Every structure is written in structure tokens, then in C-alpha cells.
Amino acid sequence: MKTKYKITFLILSIIIIGLIIFNKTSNDKKVYVLKEYSKTGKLLKTHEYILSNGDTILEGKFINYNEKGIKIAEGKFINNEPSGVCSYYDNNGKIESVYYRKNTKVNLECIYYDKKGLINKYIMCDSLGKTAFIIRFGDKVVKMYDGYSIWPVAQYKLINKRQIGIKTEDILKIGDTIRYSYLVANIPNAKRSFRIENSIGDNPKVKRIIKSKLPTEIIAEEVLNNKGINRIKIIAQYTFDDKVTPVLNKEVSFDVNVN
């Protein structure tokens, strides 16, 4: 009888070990490289990928080439979606555009180049890929711009690390922590200055934490320490390198009622 139990235990152990090995193998995080060739044997694409649950997931760098072996695109994928900085070139290898990509359908920032390799257009997009701000250049001189160089994203009150949206009628308290975020354009061929102010005045003892999230988001967090209407102002100034275009000043604000 004891022998029977031993055999049963041994079989169960083998099954469990097999399942562990299978699970580990099916979620292999090792990075592989997928290569695609033309009919003439020319390397056209390289994609880094991983294996997960038996599926091939594009994860890592990619490079595309034309038939002449010239690089025409490069960037990276995360979970089968293009993500971050992706650059595209013409068939002679000259830069044409650089996108900061959220996924296949959404670009968060776009830069376009002319035949000389100079930037001729810049676009900042919102989280859905819609144009928030656009500016055009000719030989580094501003030709036009339109839209909002500062784009509000959200304002929150933090409660136990949870984000609660702030409404106009809300009354907050001294000591409450708020978090707010904006998109601020990285306009090329210009020097940008950026600051945040409280209309009532900033208490030097209270630290305001400001973080950047690529490509254009600014996230600020602070503790409220002034009673009354606190008008939080986000101010950006752009001084253009062409020394012709007037300085672009932009200010966006929101009010918080503190009691």
C-alpha cells in the first residue's frame, strides 16, 4: 500500500514539475530577433520579440531597410504596439519625420524635416492624437503657429493615494494635496522657460513637486496652505531663435477654493 502511495506521489510530483517548466517556457522573457528578407535576399526588417504563452510579442527595437540596404525607419515596440520615439527616413537615408508614438493609431508628438534636414513642422497632440498645437518653419524662421502651447489635462485631489477629480464647486481644506497636469509644447528652434505660481503666494516651506512625463506632459503635486481662492498659474514663454518672431507668452490657470 505504501508503495502505491509512493508511486502516486512520484507521478504527481512529475506532473507539477512539468507544469512549472511549461509555464516558465511559455512565458520566456528572452529577447529574440525576427528578420525579414526580400525575394533577392536583402534584409528588409529586424524586430525584437519575446514569447509569451506561446505567442510571439513584438517587444524591443525595430529597423526597416529598403532594397539598397538603407535604413528607412527605426524605433521600438512594446506589447505589439509602436511606442516612444520612432524615426523615419527617405530612400536616401535622410531624416523625414520623428514621432513620439503612444500606439499604432496615436502620435503624441510629431516633428517633420525638409530636404535640407531642417525642421519645417512641429505638432503637439493630446492623448487621443488630436492636434493641440502646430508650428511651421522655413529655414528656421517661424512661418505660422496655431493652437495651444499649454494644454490642460487634469486636476485631482489625492485621498489615500487615489485621484479624485476637482470640480468647480468643490471646497478643499488646508493640508489637502492636489495633483495637476498639462501638456507643454517642446517648440523647436526656440528657448522655453516654464514656471508655476499661486496667485495668493507660494509658501517657501511647502514643496511643490514637478515631474516630466515624455514627451510633453508636466505633472505637479503640492499641499494647499493658503485659505481662499488659490489661482494656480502655469506660465510658459518661448523665445525664438530667428530673432524676428515675437516672444510667445502663454498662461493657463485654474482656481481651487480652500477653506
Side-chain angles (χ1 to χ4, degrees):
M1 199 71 174
K2 291 183 178 179
T3 304
K4 183 178 179 180
Y5 285 137
K6 287 182 180 179
I7 294 173
T8 303
F9 178 77
L10 180 61
I11 292 173
L12 287 174
S13 298
I14 293 172
I15 292 172
I16 292 170
I17 293 171
L19 287 172
I20 293 172
I21 293 172
F22 174 78
N23 185 63
K24 184 178 180 180
T25 304
S26 63
N27 292 283
D28 187 2
K29 295 303 179 182
K30 180 180 178 182
V31 177
Y32 301 87
V33 178
L34 178 67
K35 295 183 179 181
E36 182 179 326
Y37 295 86
S38 69
K39 293 180 180 180
T40 58
K42 298 285 186 179
L43 179 63
L44 296 180
K45 296 180 180 180
T46 64
H47 281 282
E48 292 184 343
Y49 70 94
I50 61 173
L51 298 176
S52 180
N53 295 321
D55 294 327
T56 298
I57 308 295
L58 297 180
E59 187 87 8
K61 298 178 183 178
F62 76 87
I63 303 177
N64 296 347
Y65 303 91
N66 61 17
E67 283 278 0
K68 296 179 181 178
I70 297 172
K71 181 171 61 180
I72 56 174
E74 63 181 337
K76 70 175 181 178
F77 274 77
I78 294 179
N79 196 27
N80 273 340
E81 290 284 349
S83 180
V85 177
C86 295
S87 304
Y88 301 89
Y89 309 85
D90 66 17
N91 280 323
N92 294 314
K94 290 185 177 180
I95 188 71
E96 284 189 327
S97 59
V98 176
Y99 299 151
Y100 194 99
R101 310 195 70 175
K102 181 179 180 180
N103 52 43
T104 304
K105 297 180 179 179
V106 176
N107 295 320
L108 299 177
E109 190 175 49
C110 312
I111 301 174
Y112 300 89
Y113 295 81
D114 62 19
K115 296 297 182 182
K116 300 177 184 176
L118 301 176
I119 296 173
N120 61 14
K121 184 168 63 173
Y122 168 85
I123 299 175
M124 178 180 73
C125 305
D126 66 14
S127 61
L128 299 176
K130 296 180 180 179
T131 297
F133 179 82
I134 182 172
I135 186 168
R136 297 180 185 272
F137 299 91
D139 291 326
K140 296 184 179 182
V141 177
V142 176
K143 296 300 181 183
M144 63 78 68
Y145 59 79
D146 188 33
Y148 304 92
S149 56
I150 303 179
W151 183 269
V153 177
Q155 295 93 38
Y156 299 104
K157 174 184 175 181
L158 297 183
I159 301 178
N160 296 325
K161 297 184 179 181
R162 292 189 301 117
Q163 296 186 147
I164 308 297
I166 299 175
K167 300 177 182 178
T168 305
E169 65 272 16
D170 286 347
I171 298 177
L172 280 67
K173 299 179 296 184
I174 293 289
D176 282 346
T177 300
I178 61 172
R179 177 183 293 161
Y180 46 93
S181 57
Y182 288 80
L183 304 181
V184 183
N186 298 310
I187 300 178
N189 303 319
K191 295 178 179 65
R192 186 187 81 182
S193 62
F194 172 84
R195 68 184 188 276
I196 298 174
E197 296 178 354
N198 188 322
S199 61
I200 293 181
D202 287 324
N203 187 333
K205 294 182 180 180
V206 176
K207 187 176 182 181
R208 176 183 290 126
I209 301 171
I210 300 176
K211 298 179 181 179
S212 298
K213 180 181 177 182
L214 293 174
T216 61
E217 190 171 3
I218 301 293
I219 303 169
E221 187 176 307
E222 63 180 279
V223 178
L224 298 171
N225 64 321
N226 294 309
K227 285 189 175 182
I229 300 297
N230 287 245
R231 175 158 292 173
I232 310 297
K233 298 188 290 185
I234 295 84
I235 304 165
Q237 183 182 82
Y238 299 88
T239 304
F240 294 98
D241 297 342
D242 61 18
K243 303 186 186 301
V244 176
T245 306
V247 172
L248 173 59
N249 293 295
K250 186 65 178 178
E251 177 180 314
V252 176
S253 64
F254 68 98
D255 292 343
V256 179
N257 191 357
V258 181
N259 194 351

